[in-house]
Amino acid sequence: MIDKLHEKVKSLLEEKQVELVIGWGKGSLPLTATPVFIKDTKDVDQLIFDHTCRNNLTMYLTKDKKSLGKIHDKIAIIVKGCDSRSVVLYAVENQIKRENVVIIGVPCSGIIEKKKISELTNDMEVLSTQIEGDHIIIKGRKEEFKFKLTEILSDSCLQCRYPDAIEYDHFIGEPRGEIDINDEYSVVEKFQEKSSKERWEAVKEEYSKCIRCYACRNVCPSCYCNECFVDGNDPQWIGKTPEVTDSIIFHLIRNLHIAGRCVDCGSCVSACPVDIDLRLMNKKVEKEVKERFNYVAGIDINEKPAMASFCEHEKQDFILD
Amino acid sequence: MIEIKKKQFGDFIKNLMETYRVFAPTKDGKKSSFSEIKKADEIVDVHTTKSAKSVFFPQAEVLFNYSENEIEVPNLEQKPIALWGIHSCDTKGLLSLDKVFKNAHQLPNNKMYEDPYWNKKYAESLIFTLACNEPLTTCFCNWFESGPFDKTGADIFVVDNGESFLLEAISDKGQTFFIQSGFDQEGEHQHAVFSLKKKAESMMEEKQDISSVFETLNEIQEKEFWEEITQKCINCGACTFVCPTCHCFDVSDEGKHQKGKRIRVWDSCMFGIFTEEASGHNPRGLSYQRVQQRIMHKFNYFYDNYEEHLCSGCGRCIRVCPTNLDIREIVKKIIKRKNNV
Amino acid sequence: MCNTYIPFQMKIENIIDENPDRSLRTFDLSFVKKEDEEAFKYLPGQFCEFSILGKGESPFGIASSPTEKGLLKFTVSRIGLVTNEIHHLQIGDIVGMRGPLGNWYPVEKMKGKDIVIIGGGFAFTTLRSLIVYLLENRADYGKITVIYGARTPELFIFKEELKEWDKREDLILHLTIDKPIKGWNKLCGFVPTITKNVEPDPTSWAIVCGPPIMIKFTLPVLSELGFDDNIIYTSLERRMKCGIGKCGRCGIGSKYICIDGPVFSLAELKKIPDAF
């Protein structure tokens, strides 16, 4: 499959259909891919695609006030299922012109969440890994572990309905097809079983870890505002300290801002340097939007976004709730 | 060098607490950081997620409280700090920060601006640097004329040989502590320490010669160089917040007009808003300019002022970067460029 | 130990609107405590952190001269949170102040020399300080030439003093606006062009202060006229926060504007990458 990907990218560059291809390359650490920006056909071999290609690269389309798009007329981007939904989101929200981006879709069989490995190995430093069928062997300096892939794939991937790119110009590889997931909100349901006091305590505990580095926001393709509400100082909506009272406002408002816009790509979860469980609340909001408005982000490029349309029959009970 | 058996360690910490507030690496959720401990068994022996700078330079620190126009400065006369279990890289980080917080002076009359919040805490502290027996593959302290057993900046240097801690007094403060504690430097453990040191050093990746970096950075004029090597940066502040040497901060008021506090909070040159002026003008409005600033500050500007790099090779930024923008690779590219010219 | 983060108190004594749209206001402040006044020794070119508790601090160049005892003067343009709050202050209000911070114009080295002062817009504040200082010590200095430009006549600050200075024989004042306007009988044209026409003697010391674009185009004019880089001085502005070289915000190259500046010679600036 990787050869076909290289070929396709090479031909796009040779035929000058695009000036730049954004994809993944081998990172400097085990289990870590890194974004690469290919302009020259001689660099095409840098491109990889495997279980380590975590980053949702579409965020580069809106980075720096869309500066890449200003430099390059046409950009190609390699996308997994979740990433392709971000491209759809951008098109729906008028952040990109769909025709200016060449989308190379790939089928994804899940991305490894390094944090799960850390937890399972008591923070062992991983020196090398080897995949054997549906298992992975993880080697450290003194120890070696063998896990089922399903034990260490990201939760987003384990509950992913759309592993193949949904929107694409070129599709490389064998599509896996839509997967029937019936527990996609299991984390939310489990959480909702708790009492409201317990939930509040849990949320506070989680967000008290935050160091306000904004890695979650900055890796998030859906967070592309030119000025984020946390950065405004006139008025200053929230304090800048790592106190939980400030952090919680940042996270909960970010949750609401990406309501009906989060594609559950798992980037924020992986990016967080202090391992906050960022997915729970994202899923909660996603579930609400799905139940109330029958809307799932990034699926249909012709559908109006949930928060930008209004139907009279929509439930409004929350107003009096 | 004196020996403290691990069995006696609890008592050692307890005694230390009579004179000092003891800070050490502890669990912090799933991660780890330095915090004040009450008992020795809270201490963990890990490469901490966050650096030790927060002990002396907390992420948020009250400069003063105010009420109407009355200003009240928090009490800086606190029990001194003993910092246990800090690795050489973080100890060196503190030395760099001390240069900033202590040495900044105004031109042309050379008036010194001391930082009372940092100075007193750091000056009175007792630093127990713990030799790093197992460096990670992301550690690169050996690039900076340092290593896992570097004693620079330590008051007392500690080696963990498995069953005991071996303590060596390094600074005058360390010597005084030894005398006051009734320790004598007699015990001979040099051999054991030497082999642990060799072992730790052998675990490190190959050292880079970075002597050309400062000069090369003086010469790089074209923005394309920076654009290319920094393209994948998403400008979050993770690297700067876990860094033992990044010291930029913001000053901000919390509360309403009548009552509140003025605090300083870590800030990051990675953030676009860091240099944005009220007029909207931003000298570092683009992503690459900010990464350039971070790299230049660490490997050129600071060097220009203090003849040392503002990086101790702890590797934390490499471990947390969401896009695997590896600072070692950037430095290698700078070195390579020098060799190509 | 002296804690430079703690502001001392000052009282608003007078407020002057400098322009018709009231976006520029000059504040005269007096020291509340005698000991603060005694400790406050400054020279033209230095700045202060103006502090409104609950809103924060903003750096401003001191517009008064140390020869004007007992008061400090600041001209504040309303552009952000703190400056907006400052504009709402009333006479009698108490505010916080930290300073004096930064370095100053080379008033000692310039003794016995001719001086040309070039300014633009509302960045004329520390230049006012300098001019008042020079005039107060008039015998120490040679010929003093001032070139001051603004977009329109309304946008000059310190208009009353400009009138006074215009009448003086020991100071040559060239006022210029961008485009001709009815009733304006002084110069028209941008500051760099006017500087070229005025042709100051390149043995005089030049002090240039104004918007970045004006500085950028004026410095080459002076160089062409034969001014040495070591006798051209300018003052830079950045978003200084701590004011004492620690918070890292105003770094340009290996310098911090708050402690190594804000006043730099052109020779120094040429060693700093991206100074403009």
Side-chain angles (χ1 to χ4, degrees):
Chain A
M1 179 209 142
I2 196 68
D3 295 336
K4 283 187 180 151
L5 182 68
H6 290 170
E7 252 170 63
K8 176 49 75 187
V9 169
K10 206 173 233 169
S11 72
L12 287 173
L13 286 167
E14 270 168 2
E15 291 160 20
K16 303 224 179 323
Q17 289 190 43
V18 298
E19 295 172 357
L20 173 74
V21 181
I22 310 175
W24 301 274
K26 196 175 173 318
S28 67
L29 307 176
L31 294 172
T32 311
T34 191
V36 290
F37 299 80
I38 309 282
K39 287 182 205 154
D40 197 318
T41 51
K42 75 171 174 11
D43 298 326
V44 165
D45 291 347
Q46 288 178 20
L47 289 167
I48 62 163
F49 183 68
D50 58 23
H51 288 297
T52 67
C53 297
R54 156 61 58 207
N55 295 74
N56 183 335
L57 304 172
T58 60
M59 53 80 43
Y60 290 109
L61 297 174
T62 51
K63 187 187 157 189
D64 252 3
K65 301 183 182 165
K66 312 190 185 78
S67 65
L68 273 183
K70 286 172 192 160
I71 304 168
H72 303 286
D73 280 344
K74 271 220 169 183
I75 299 174
I77 187 157
I78 304 172
V79 295
K80 312 181 287 283
C82 49
D83 312 336
S84 77
R85 291 171 59 194
S86 292
V87 185
V88 171
L89 181 93
Y90 283 161
V92 165
E93 297 183 353
N94 292 322
Q95 295 305 307
I96 57 163
K97 285 205 175 79
R98 173 64 185 84
E99 62 272 23
N100 288 352
V101 182
V102 173
I103 304 174
I104 305 169
V106 287
C108 172
S109 46
I111 303 298
I112 291 168
E113 179 49 72
K114 289 198 288 180
K115 294 177 180 187
K116 286 194 176 175
I117 296 178
S118 291
E119 215 168 337
L120 290 167
T121 62
N122 196 20
D123 290 324
M124 178 187 83
E125 185 182 35
V126 178
L127 296 187
S128 67
T129 64
Q130 196 184 332
I131 290 188
E132 280 182 1
D134 54 359
H135 281 74
I136 185 166
I137 296 163
I138 312 262
K139 287 182 185 156
R141 226 180 268 280
K142 296 173 196 155
E143 285 175 285
E144 187 177 310
F145 291 86
K146 188 170 182 178
F147 298 115
K148 272 191 186 164
L149 274 174
T150 48
E151 286 178 274
I152 56 159
L153 291 182
S154 158
D155 286 344
S156 301
C157 303
L158 294 172
Q159 295 180 321
C160 171
R161 191 179 287 274
Y162 308 101
D164 306 323
I166 289 179
E167 178 77 19
Y168 56 83
D169 298 296
H170 309 280
F171 195 91
I172 311 285
E174 280 302 310
R176 295 181 62 205
E178 193 173 320
I179 297 170
D180 192 20
I181 300 288
N182 45 30
D183 66 341
E184 60 187 326
Y185 297 117
S186 57
V187 280
V188 179
E189 282 147 13
K190 207 172 140 206
F191 187 69
Q192 278 178 326
E193 283 166 15
K194 297 181 182 188
S195 72
S196 94
K197 187 163 176 274
E198 284 169 333
R199 291 201 302 264
W200 177 237
E201 288 304 320
V203 166
K204 266 202 307 199
E205 190 190 325
E206 212 48 43
Y207 294 133
S208 68
K209 299 174 190 169
C210 180
I211 57 169
R212 302 291 291 275
C213 71
Y214 304 126
C216 52
R217 177 192 72 183
N218 288 23
V219 287
C220 177
S222 303
C223 270
Y224 55 70
C225 289
N226 282 345
E227 186 186 280
C228 177
F229 74 99
V230 293
D231 291 335
N233 75 340
D234 195 8
Q236 186 173 327
W237 300 103
I238 64 171
K240 294 169 183 287
T241 72
E243 294 291 319
V244 66
T245 43
D246 288 331
S247 308
I248 210 161
I249 296 176
F250 162 59
H251 287 286
L252 297 185
I253 293 185
R254 198 178 93 83
N255 284 138
L256 293 175
H257 281 184
I258 58 170
R261 305 176 60 245
C262 170
V263 298
D264 196 15
C265 65
S267 290
C268 54
V269 175
S270 290
C272 179
V274 290
D275 288 9
I276 300 173
D277 175 8
L278 294 162
R279 185 165 180 260
L280 171 66
M281 293 310 245
N282 287 345
K283 283 310 258 189
K284 164 70 180 159
V285 175
E286 181 191 313
K287 180 170 178 274
E288 288 297 312
V289 171
K290 190 173 180 182
E291 285 170 1
R292 286 172 190 277
F293 310 114
N294 191 29
Y295 184 85
V296 179
I299 300 299
D300 183 349
I301 203 159
N302 297 310
E303 191 180 2
K304 271 200 163 182
M307 297 300 148
S309 57
F310 176 72
C311 304
E312 274 177 42
H313 65 262
E314 277 168 4
K315 284 205 286 186
Q316 294 178 26
D317 53 346
F318 61 92
I319 294 172
L320 300 171
D321 212 13
Chain B
M1 211 175 272
I2 66 122
E3 181 176 11
I4 296 175
K5 293 267 183 224
K6 295 233 170 136
K7 276 185 294 191
Q8 303 156 350
F9 183 58
D11 291 336
F12 172 78
I13 292 291
K14 214 164 126 190
N15 288 337
L16 199 57
M17 267 185 226
E18 285 178 12
T19 327
Y20 296 94
R21 289 185 285 153
V22 180
F23 283 70
T26 55
K27 267 278 179 212
D28 182 357
K30 289 179 193 163
K31 298 292 186 178
S32 46
S33 62
F34 286 83
S35 61
E36 187 172 358
I37 57 159
K38 294 274 162 279
K39 283 210 306 270
D41 57 12
E42 292 172 51
I43 301 175
V44 290
D45 178 18
V46 292
H47 293 266
T48 56
T49 316
K50 301 177 200 168
S51 85
K53 73 177 171 190
S54 59
V55 173
F56 303 103
F57 174 43
Q59 182 161 5
E61 181 166 30
V62 177
L63 296 176
F64 57 81
N65 296 294
Y66 62 84
S67 174
E68 292 290 338
N69 278 313
E70 290 305 309
I71 284 173
E72 181 219 325
V73 182
N75 181 17
L76 301 176
E77 299 296 325
Q78 290 207 35
K79 227 171 152 178
I81 288 171
L83 179 51
W84 174 272
I86 169 176
H87 286 167
S88 308
C89 49
D90 274 6
T91 309
K92 274 193 82 183
L94 295 177
L95 286 177
S96 298
L97 292 181
D98 194 46
K99 294 198 161 67
V100 175
F101 286 113
K102 200 158 77 189
N103 286 358
H105 57 279
Q106 176 195 47
L107 292 172
N109 69 344
N110 256 8
K111 177 175 171 187
M112 296 287 280
Y113 284 122
E114 297 203 345
D115 189 293
Y117 304 90
W118 165 279
N119 273 6
K120 198 171 157 55
K121 264 184 281 187
Y122 184 66
E124 293 177 355
S125 70
L126 195 62
I127 310 280
F128 292 83
T129 302
L130 177 64
C132 175
N133 282 339
E134 288 189 22
L136 300 174
T137 56
T138 39
C139 293
F140 61 115
C141 56
N142 54 348
W143 294 21
F144 301 92
E145 287 162 27
S146 178
F149 276 57
D150 189 351
K151 299 169 186 171
T152 315
D155 293 313
I156 290 158
F157 188 69
V158 184
V159 178
D160 180 348
N161 72 357
E163 54 205 42
S164 328
F165 292 112
L166 309 173
L167 274 62
E168 181 188 358
I170 306 294
S171 69
D172 292 348
K173 254 193 292 176
Q175 305 279 8
T176 311
F177 173 77
F178 265 39
I179 293 163
Q180 284 167 349
S181 311
F183 295 161
D184 57 35
Q185 290 265 34
E186 270 172 24
E188 267 309 320
H189 303 278
Q190 299 300 356
H191 188 71
V193 170
F194 184 76
S195 68
L196 283 169
K197 178 168 182 267
K198 281 290 152 221
K199 190 176 161 213
E201 283 169 356
S202 73
M203 288 164 88
M204 298 210 65
E205 309 268 302
E206 197 190 340
K207 168 183 173 168
Q208 283 284 326
D209 175 8
I210 55 166
S211 56
S212 63
V213 172
F214 169 73
E215 276 299 331
T216 310
L217 286 173
N218 275 340
E219 288 153 18
I220 298 175
Q221 303 288 342
E222 71 282 7
K223 68 170 190 167
E224 289 75 14
F225 176 82
W226 294 107
E227 276 177 340
E228 198 198 311
I229 62 171
T230 65
Q231 196 153 31
K232 60 188 166 189
C233 176
I234 54 165
N235 294 101
C236 72
C239 52
T240 57
F241 285 3
V242 296
C243 177
T245 63
C246 277
H247 59 81
C248 290
F249 61 84
D250 190 13
V251 178
S252 147
D253 285 12
E254 296 211 328
K256 290 270 165 352
H257 181 68
Q258 286 80 11
K259 210 170 163 54
K261 54 191 176 183
R262 178 160 295 169
I263 53 170
R264 66 167 164 206
V265 198
W266 293 353
D267 208 336
S268 172
C269 58
M270 289 292 101
F271 299 154
I273 193 176
F274 183 64
T275 48
E276 191 173 280
E277 290 164 16
S279 63
H281 171 70
N282 194 341
R284 293 199 284 273
L286 292 170
S287 164
Y288 84 87
Q289 296 170 320
R290 304 199 280 274
V291 190
Q292 177 181 2
Q293 165 69 21
R294 177 166 150 83
I295 300 299
M296 288 297 281
H297 190 194
K298 297 215 166 294
F299 296 101
N300 182 277
Y301 302 154
F302 194 80
Y303 193 92
D304 198 19
N305 288 325
Y306 301 107
E307 289 185 0
E308 64 178 51
H309 295 295
L310 190 62
C311 173
S312 60
C314 75
R316 287 190 183 85
C317 57
I318 304 166
R319 300 193 279 276
V320 300
C321 180
T323 63
N324 186 233
L325 180 56
D326 189 324
I327 197 165
R328 293 171 301 181
E329 312 235 309
I330 296 181
V331 175
K332 282 182 193 166
K333 280 178 185 163
I334 295 163
I335 296 169
K336 195 172 154 205
R337 192 190 131 96
K338 166 81 180 172
N339 298 338
N340 287 349
V341 172
Chain C
M1 197 187 305
C2 159
N3 187 338
T4 343
Y5 292 100
I6 308 300
F8 58 83
Q9 292 186 349
M10 293 200 83
K11 188 171 149 198
I12 309 268
E13 294 290 345
N14 195 21
I15 303 173
I16 295 166
D17 277 319
E18 294 286 356
N19 62 351
D21 74 2
R22 303 170 84 198
S23 63
L24 288 170
R25 274 188 182 172
T26 297
F27 297 83
D28 288 347
L29 299 102
S30 64
F31 295 86
V32 171
K33 292 189 186 128
K34 193 77 193 156
E35 64 260 33
D36 292 332
E37 181 176 350
E38 278 158 11
F40 196 95
K41 301 267 181 284
Y42 73 107
L43 284 169
Q46 290 193 277
F47 71 98
C48 283
E49 289 279 351
F50 199 124
S51 179
I52 306 266
L53 296 178
K55 293 293 171 184
E57 294 186 316
S58 235
F60 300 103
I62 306 170
S64 50
S65 154
T67 53
E68 298 168 294
K69 300 286 178 210
L71 77 86
L72 292 183
K73 192 188 278 291
F74 298 94
T75 301
V76 178
S77 170
R78 197 178 63 207
I79 33 173
L81 173 73
V82 178
T83 52
N84 195 38
E85 207 61 30
I86 293 174
H87 269 241
H88 284 117
L89 292 170
Q90 312 275 325
I91 290 172
D93 283 350
I94 303 290
V95 298
M97 196 66 67
R98 291 197 296 125
L101 301 166
N103 67 358
W104 47 88
Y105 296 121
V107 287
E108 281 301 314
K109 290 185 195 163
M110 293 194 297
K111 277 189 177 160
K113 313 284 183 195
D114 291 350
I115 298 166
V116 54
I117 294 167
I118 304 170
F122 71 90
F124 202 73
T125 53
T126 55
L127 295 184
R128 178 201 176 271
S129 171
L130 178 64
I131 294 167
V132 173
Y133 180 89
L134 297 178
L135 291 177
E136 200 62 33
N137 299 286
R138 190 64 193 88
D140 291 342
Y141 301 94
K143 185 176 151 189
I144 300 174
T145 310
V146 178
I147 301 168
Y148 180 18
R151 270 207 318 279
T152 63
E154 293 85 42
L155 292 176
F156 287 106
I157 54 175
F158 313 123
K159 292 184 192 68
E160 290 306 311
E161 278 171 304
L162 290 175
K163 280 183 204 156
E164 296 297 315
W165 295 341
D166 205 17
K167 289 180 203 151
R168 290 181 75 124
E169 302 211 326
D170 57 354
L171 180 149
I172 304 158
L173 181 66
H174 302 279
L175 295 180
T176 178
I177 58 170
D178 288 1
K179 284 182 205 146
I181 217 169
K182 219 174 160 187
W184 178 256
N185 56 7
K186 301 196 184 302
L187 301 169
C188 280
F190 295 120
V191 168
T193 320
I194 301 300
T195 307
K196 204 173 194 168
N197 298 344
V198 168
E199 246 187 289
D201 181 347
T203 59
S204 29
W205 286 47
I207 309 286
V208 186
C209 191
I213 188 89
M214 185 208 97
I215 299 185
K216 193 177 163 183
F217 287 103
T218 305
L219 297 181
V221 170
L222 292 171
S223 300
E224 269 169 43
L225 287 168
F227 280 76
D228 188 275
D229 289 351
N230 289 304
I231 55 167
I232 303 175
Y233 281 80
T234 185
S235 179
L236 297 185
E237 263 192 17
R238 282 287 151 95
R239 204 180 149 195
M240 283 89 88
K241 269 270 157 122
C242 73
I244 55 176
K246 313 205 187 290
C247 80
R249 207 164 281 265
C250 66
I252 47 163
S254 53
K255 307 284 181 203
Y256 286 123
I257 291 186
C258 66
I259 50 171
D260 301 311
V263 176
F264 292 94
S265 73
L266 182 55
E268 289 168 312
L269 284 185
K270 282 190 171 169
K271 290 186 210 145
I272 301 173
D274 302 324
F276 302 109

